[in-house]
Amino acid sequence: MSLQAINQRTLQQLIDDGLVRSALAVPNNGHWELIVNDGQVSRVLATTTGNKVRTWSKMDTLIDYIAKLGITTLETDLTDYTAGIKTTRKRSDRTKSMRQTHEAARHDLWFREQVIIALIEADSTHARWIDAEDVRTRMEQRAKSRMDSVND
């Protein structure tokens, strides 16, 4: 049986207008779907994007959701219910993204600490400043001595 889809905004309007007569939770592949009836038509709740059927992995979450909408009575149809099915949502894309975010945050913290340490050292009375020309000369000497050792 194919049901007409309804989004949350329309459902909320029907509830506010007192037109929702019943709500039914139906299991489907380890998830719960919500079907509402306004007395004439039964509709399944869909997402606002893509018009896909909205599902909940836990009945508690579904109950919290409908209670916030103002639905006070919920029936269940356990015809297709299978006990013990555990559903998990694998979101490897989010896992990878979160891992990268945490790594970036750790690096940012480390970098900020290094900047603070460098500023403290630079402000120290014991700081020794080297002229840029001296550094350039030293680097050229190092490069030359390395080239000489490679050629030997």
Side-chain angles (χ1 to χ4, degrees):
M1 167 174 85
S2 178
L3 295 173
Q4 202 176 16
I6 186 174
N7 64 27
Q8 179 180 332
R9 182 178 300 158
T10 305
L11 174 58
Q12 187 65 63
Q13 188 62 50
L14 290 172
I15 293 167
D16 292 346
D17 293 343
L19 298 175
V20 174
R21 302 281 184 250
S22 65
L24 176 67
V26 179
N28 185 357
N29 292 325
H31 290 87
W32 293 94
E33 298 175 0
L34 180 66
I35 299 173
V36 293
N37 185 299
D38 65 9
Q40 298 175 9
V41 180
S42 291
R43 298 180 176 113
V44 65
L45 185 63
T47 61
T48 53
T49 56
N51 228 14
K52 295 179 183 176
V53 174
R54 172 93 191 257
T55 62
W56 291 263
S57 57
K58 297 179 181 177
M59 177 63 87
D60 287 349
T61 311
L62 171 57
I63 291 169
D64 287 344
Y65 176 82
I66 65 168
K68 288 176 184 168
L69 290 176
I71 297 175
T72 57
T73 305
L74 177 67
E75 298 176 33
T76 56
D77 177 356
L78 299 177
T79 305
D80 294 326
Y81 179 74
T82 305
I85 291 181
K86 300 267 188 204
T87 59
T88 57
R89 293 185 182 167
K90 302 231 178 201
R91 293 284 313 265
S92 60
D93 59 327
R94 292 300 306 145
T95 302
K96 182 178 178 182
S97 175
M98 290 304 293
R99 187 175 295 123
Q100 289 172 342
T101 299
H102 287 290
E103 286 174 5
R106 279 193 299 274
H107 181 269
D108 184 64
L109 179 63
W110 171 83
F111 182 78
R112 289 173 186 275
E113 289 171 349
Q114 296 304 307
V115 168
I116 290 170
I117 290 169
L119 290 172
I120 291 170
E121 288 176 357
D123 287 341
S124 168
T125 57
H126 302 294
R128 198 177 98 204
W129 295 94
I130 302 172
D131 183 44
E133 190 58 41
D134 290 342
V135 172
R136 197 172 297 117
T137 303
R138 287 181 190 179
M139 295 304 290
E140 288 172 358
Q141 288 173 349
R142 278 189 188 168
K144 185 178 183 309
S145 68
R146 285 190 181 144
M147 291 301 290
D148 290 344
S149 66
V150 169
N151 292 332
D152 287 345

